């Protein structure tokens, strides 16, 4: 069995070691989950929610400890660890505590006239064992929030956290254990993609994956072979559109935060900024001014953290190299060839103009602290540029004309749009979260995010007092009356006498 090293990317120091889960453990973990499922699914939801409350209180009590681990394992500023990771998670816990019972309640639905005298309702049953596979950029919230969404309806969960931030996987494991979740209800498998693939192959009942498109496709393929459902939360290249009637200072501050928070390692990062020509020059000046105020240092008050993962640093540098070679202008930043010899995880923010669609930095996910700004002259052009991408996760529109902003939002090919804001649609647990095009398949969060992990069972109830039904045997002589019934009921106007006459005939013929 190997060991995963937790390395603080800001210092390069090993801060913890986490024992890998062996591949041979996978069948045992699946068996444990299946055994635990028998008990967990039968608990009334209120009892399951007691565990959620205990976890929420534990998180609040251990806030500093959690922030410390998340900040040091992923290289985040503490403010980003407490807001984007902890705050979103406790908010999600509270949301499930408040609304879970209602979403999962058995619901009576209407029964059509064709099924006269019967009742219909929907029961939400858990799927069984849900596999959650999570990435390194928000290693806490992107693991815990889907875990909770699956647990609330009575599923058991196996989490395969990212091997790049193993200490956070260990933290999650200990928090669920401390909150007292029953044995086998929540298990954490520590390891690399090979372990993830082995878990996928072990036939869980559902998979929620967050990560790259490349891995998402592999998982989708393996899941299809076993007819397992998946939700895939994948990459982005999010556009921001700034109209000339926007609050420009707000738009500039929003663009800088949206592009640089978490060092730009956000699936919903602002990666392409389209600005109306008439305000382009002042907007660039505002961006420069805002960038000059930022602090990047090793301190609790730093605005900018460090990158988390060396291969991602290499991608960002390659995108910068390619852009500069093709004529991009560096308005802010110190990027030059020497960056490629430096193995530091601390990347300075870069502001680029004169960027074009043939540059990697404008078409592929960069996932780094870079702002790319392009002017546009009309609403149509802005929408065309924003939609000209294989991705569609989130987008932002800045304008004081809310009707225009809503109109543009409706035209954008994306899973979410923030109007006069950036990124934060994720933080509202009432809103569905997910992408279109290559940014993913399916949604979680919101009502749909709870129902996602259930099998909606349809129940049709007849009191069972009649000996037969009109559509049962015998068929002899019934055809004309069914025709009369359909014509009378579904034609231009409902003709009740004709409908009832046909129905009575059918009843008679059924005796
Ligand atoms: P990744 O695809 O490399 O890894 C994600 C997870 O999948 C890790 O836990 C990894 O061990 C596991 N994995 C790797 N190969 C596997 C396999 N064959 N079978 C099963 N599991 C396997 O992604 P990453 O580099 O960790 O994350 C960054 C990516 O995630 C970025 O592209 C980012 O845009 C995306 N992301 C998307 C969202 C979203 O919600 N849409 C959120 C955050 C990150």
């Amino acid at each position: 069995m190997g060991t995963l090293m937790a390395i603080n990317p800001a210092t390069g120091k090993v801060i913890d070691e986490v024992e890998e889960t062996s591949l041979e453990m996978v069948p045992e973990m699946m068996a444990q989950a299946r055994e635990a499922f028998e008990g967990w699914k039968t608990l009334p939801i209120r009892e399951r929610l007691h565990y959620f409350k205990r976890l929420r209180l534990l998180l609040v009590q251990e806030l500093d400890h959690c922030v410390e681990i998340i900040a040091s394992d992923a290289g985040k500023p503490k403010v980003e660890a407490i807001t984007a990771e902890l705050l979103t998670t406790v908010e999600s816990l509270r949301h499930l505590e408040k609304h879970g019972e209602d979403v999962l309640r058995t619901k009576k639905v209407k029964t059509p006239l064709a099924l006269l005298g019967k009742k219909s309702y929907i029961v939400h049953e858990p799927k069984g064992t849900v596999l959650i596979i999570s990435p390194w950029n928000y290693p806490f919230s992107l693991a815990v929030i889907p875990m909770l969404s699956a647990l609330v309806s009575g599923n058991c969960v196996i989490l395969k956290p990212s091997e790049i931030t193993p200490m956070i996987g260990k933290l999650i494991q200990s928090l669920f254990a401390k909150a007292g979740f029953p044995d086998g209800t929540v298990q954490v498998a520590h390891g690399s993609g090979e372990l993830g693939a082995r878990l996928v192959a072990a036939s869980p009942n559902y998979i929620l994956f967050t990560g790259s498109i490349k891995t998402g496709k592999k998982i989708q393929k393996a899941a299809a072979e076993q007819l397992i459902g998946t939700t895939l939360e994948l990459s982005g290249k999010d556009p921001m559109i700034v109209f000339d009637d926007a609050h420009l200072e707000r738009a500039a501050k929003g663009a800088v935060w949206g592009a640089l928070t978490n060092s730009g390692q956000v699936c919903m990062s602002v990666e392409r900024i389209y600005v109306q020509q008439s305000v382009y020059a002042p907007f660039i000046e505002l961006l420069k001014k805002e960038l000059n105020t930022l602090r990047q240092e090793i301190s609790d008050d730093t605005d900018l953290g460090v990158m988390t993962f060396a291969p991602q640093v290499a991608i960002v540098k390659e995108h910068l190299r390619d852009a500069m070679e093709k004529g991009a202008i560096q308005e802010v930043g110190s990027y030059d060839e020497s960056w490629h010899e430096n193995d530091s995880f601390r990347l300075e923010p870069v502001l680029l103009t004169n960027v074009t669609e043939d540059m990697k930095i404008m078409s592929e996910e960069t996932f780094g602290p870079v702002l790319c700004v392009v002017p546009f002259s009309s609403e149509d052009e802005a929408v065309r540029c924003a939609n000209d991408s294989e991705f569609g996760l989130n987008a932002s529109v800045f304008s004081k004309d809310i009707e225009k902003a809503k109109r543009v939002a409706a035209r954008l090919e994306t899973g979410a749009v923030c109007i006069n804001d950036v990124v934060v649609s994720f933080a509202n647990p009432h809103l569905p979260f997910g992408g279109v095009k290559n940014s993913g398949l399916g949604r979680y969060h919101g009502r749909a995010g709870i129902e996602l992990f259930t099998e909606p069972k349809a129940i049709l109830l007849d009191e069972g007092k009649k000996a037969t039904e009109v559509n049962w045997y015998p068929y002899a002589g019934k055809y004309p009356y069914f025709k009369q019934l359909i014509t009378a009921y579904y034609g231009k106007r409902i003709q009740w006498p004709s409908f009832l006459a046909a129905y009575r005939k059918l009843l008679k013929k059924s005796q």
Side-chain angles (χ1 to χ4, degrees):
M1 227 157 19
T3 305
L4 299 171
M5 296 298 197
I7 296 167
N8 181 335
T11 61
K13 293 207 173 99
V14 174
I15 45 176
D16 199 7
E17 291 182 5
V18 178
E19 199 176 291
E20 271 191 78
T21 305
S22 77
L23 300 179
E24 288 67 41
M25 278 290 291
V26 169
E28 201 180 313
M29 291 180 90
M30 295 300 295
Q32 268 192 44
R34 287 196 177 113
E35 199 185 320
F37 179 58
E38 295 308 316
W40 183 244
K41 73 173 177 188
T42 54
L43 283 187
I45 177 157
R46 278 192 193 175
E47 280 185 43
R48 284 200 292 271
L49 289 174
H50 285 319
Y51 294 92
F52 280 52
K53 186 176 175 189
R54 291 223 289 264
L55 181 65
R56 174 167 53 80
L57 297 179
L58 181 68
L59 284 173
V60 173
Q61 191 187 317
E62 302 207 353
L63 217 47
D64 286 336
H65 171 67
C66 296
V67 165
E68 197 61 53
I69 290 178
I70 295 167
S72 53
D73 201 12
K76 293 174 196 269
K78 279 186 170 185
V79 172
E80 289 179 1
I82 199 166
T83 53
E85 298 271 41
L86 269 312
L87 179 57
T88 51
T89 303
V90 287
E91 179 60 40
S92 189
L93 271 161
R94 170 71 45 86
H95 175 81
L96 293 167
E97 286 174 65
K98 263 189 170 171
H99 304 286
E101 196 172 354
D102 179 49
V103 176
L104 295 169
R105 180 171 291 131
T106 296
K107 281 175 204 71
K108 195 162 181 283
V109 291
K110 287 193 173 164
T111 306
L113 204 65
L115 296 170
L116 198 68
K118 300 171 200 298
K119 290 181 185 138
S120 310
Y121 51 95
I122 302 169
V123 182
H124 287 287
E125 293 186 347
K127 284 181 180 284
T129 303
V130 173
L131 173 62
I132 309 282
I133 302 181
S134 54
W136 49 260
N137 63 328
Y138 287 103
F140 191 81
S141 55
L142 292 180
V144 178
I145 295 175
M147 288 169 82
L148 296 168
S149 310
L151 285 163
V152 71
S153 54
N155 294 288
C156 287
V157 163
I158 297 178
L159 168 71
K160 211 302 279 169
S162 173
E163 66 277 30
I164 314 302
T165 46
M167 208 177 163
I168 299 168
K170 194 167 139 184
L171 170 71
I172 295 170
Q173 187 172 25
S174 78
L175 287 167
F176 276 95
K178 275 193 201 168
F181 279 76
D183 279 352
T185 316
V186 175
Q187 299 176 78
V188 180
H190 303 279
S192 66
E194 193 185 1
L195 178 64
R198 190 65 72 93
L199 285 159
V200 170
S203 294
N205 300 93
Y206 199 77
I207 302 168
L208 186 141
F209 168 77
T210 308
S212 63
I213 294 178
K214 192 170 152 214
T215 311
K217 283 185 178 171
K218 282 188 200 163
I219 289 175
Q220 179 79 344
K221 206 168 163 192
E225 288 294 328
Q226 306 169 82
L227 279 184
I228 300 170
T230 63
T231 295
L232 305 178
E233 300 292 349
L234 309 175
S235 317
K237 186 82 190 165
D238 292 352
M240 170 175 179
I241 299 174
V242 182
F243 285 103
D244 57 5
D245 58 359
H247 187 310
L248 272 201
E249 191 186 347
R250 176 177 175 82
K253 282 175 178 285
V256 168
W257 183 77
L260 301 184
T261 188
N262 211 34
S263 296
Q265 303 165 120
V266 188
C267 52
M268 303 166 96
S269 238
V270 171
E271 295 222 357
R272 297 175 289 144
I273 305 170
Y274 299 102
V275 183
Q276 197 148 17
Q277 184 76 62
S278 48
V279 292
Y280 179 76
F283 187 74
I284 296 288
E285 288 314 306
L286 284 169
L287 288 180
K288 287 182 184 171
K289 192 173 148 212
E290 181 65 16
L291 286 166
N292 281 332
T293 65
L294 299 180
R295 294 164 71 160
Q296 188 169 28
E297 58 202 21
I298 302 185
S299 93
D300 281 356
D301 288 329
T302 187
D303 293 313
L304 300 168
V306 295
M307 299 285 289
T308 307
F309 186 36
Q312 196 63 49
V313 179
I315 290 172
V316 177
K317 289 179 184 171
E318 165 53 22
H319 283 197
L320 286 168
R321 190 202 57 72
D322 174 72
M324 297 305 286
E325 199 178 278
K326 292 176 179 158
I329 297 169
Q330 193 173 190
E331 306 277 355
V332 174
S334 64
Y335 170 77
D336 61 26
E337 284 303 315
S338 71
W339 277 35
H340 294 267
E341 277 118 53
N342 184 343
D343 58 7
S344 166
F345 282 56
R346 192 172 302 279
L347 293 191
E348 259 180 58
V350 174
L351 169 61
L352 295 182
T353 56
N354 209 35
V355 283
T356 46
E357 280 157 18
D358 61 327
M359 297 174 183
K360 290 180 185 175
I361 212 144
M362 284 299 287
S363 57
E364 298 174 18
E365 183 182 60
T366 304
F367 228 52
V370 184
L371 294 94
C372 295
V373 193
V374 180
F376 70 84
S377 48
S378 69
E379 184 179 316
D380 281 349
E381 188 190 355
V383 170
R384 184 193 60 74
C385 291
N387 286 342
D388 186 18
S389 170
E390 63 170 301
F391 304 103
L393 193 55
N394 199 8
S396 309
V397 181
F398 278 71
S399 168
K400 284 189 193 138
D401 179 346
I402 301 301
E403 284 315 307
K404 176 168 68 180
K406 285 185 182 169
R407 182 172 70 232
V408 170
R411 295 175 70 192
L412 294 176
E413 296 162 359
T414 177
V417 182
C418 294
I419 295 178
N420 294 315
D421 210 328
V422 291
V423 182
V424 292
S425 52
F426 174 84
N428 180 355
H430 292 276
L431 286 174
F433 173 68
V436 301
K437 302 201 258 187
N438 278 351
S439 288
L441 271 185
R443 301 284 183 278
Y444 73 110
H445 289 203
R447 267 192 109 82
I450 301 175
E451 289 172 356
L452 174 70
F453 298 104
T454 68
E455 296 292 356
K457 184 180 273 178
I459 306 286
L460 184 109
L461 185 147
D462 186 284
E463 295 291 339
K465 292 177 184 159
K466 290 180 288 170
T468 188
E469 293 287 340
V470 292
N471 58 310
W472 293 0
Y473 302 127
Y475 290 160
K478 285 184 177 174
Y479 183 86
Y481 298 111
F482 274 116
K483 189 175 169 192
Q484 181 180 331
L485 190 140
I486 289 174
T487 313
Y489 191 66
Y490 297 100
K492 264 192 187 158
R493 227 173 292 121
I494 299 180
Q495 295 167 324
W496 285 112
S498 173
F499 174 84
L500 291 170
Y503 194 70
R504 269 188 228 108
K505 284 281 185 197
L506 285 168
L507 281 176
K508 208 163 182 191
K509 293 213 170 281
S510 300
Q511 281 160 8

